[in-house]
Amino acid sequence: MSDTWIINMAFVALLVAIGLYALLTMKNLIRMLIGIEIVSKGILLALIATGYEKNNILTSQSLAISFIVVEVCVLATALAVIINIHRHTKTLDIEQLTNLKG
């Protein structure tokens, strides 16, 4: 493993740690979604860095593009759910969302 890959994995670990911290400590749904996005960017960086390290950059690029497409779909769906929650409850605080009905 090269030094570049190790540095990239350090940044991946940092991004994932920041994202998990945001997920575990934030009470706002938007901030939690941002935490999920930070974790996904770390995973995306790991995909690209590993593909570059293994001299298989085309496979990693295709996986990264597929990951981005899926990520955008998940983000759009999550934002739609958050907007509907805000319309019905007038809050985004997860502690006040105890009375969810289907």
Side-chain angles (χ1 to χ4, degrees):
M1 296 294 157
S2 69
D3 291 337
T4 306
W5 186 80
I6 293 172
I7 292 171
N8 284 333
M9 288 301 125
F11 280 118
V12 166
L14 180 67
L15 284 173
V16 170
I18 290 171
L20 288 177
Y21 176 77
L23 275 175
L24 295 176
T25 59
M26 300 295 169
K27 304 287 185 208
N28 189 317
L29 287 173
I30 297 292
R31 290 180 180 171
M32 292 176 71
L33 188 61
I34 291 171
I36 292 171
E37 285 299 308
I38 292 172
V39 170
S40 69
K41 297 306 176 204
I43 293 170
L44 189 63
L45 178 62
L47 269 173
I48 294 172
T50 304
Y52 181 76
E53 178 67 22
K54 299 291 182 183
N55 290 329
N56 203 357
I57 193 71
L58 294 178
T59 303
S60 68
Q61 284 178 344
S62 64
L63 283 173
I65 290 171
S66 300
F67 185 81
I68 290 170
V69 169
V70 171
E71 179 185 9
V72 167
C73 294
V74 168
L75 181 66
T77 304
L79 283 175
V81 169
I82 289 173
I83 287 171
N84 275 331
I85 288 172
H86 183 67
R87 281 184 185 162
H88 291 289
T89 63
K90 305 294 182 203
T91 185
L92 292 178
D93 190 3
I94 59 170
E95 291 182 350
Q96 296 177 2
L97 298 176
T98 58
N99 198 11
L100 296 177
K101 294 181 181 176

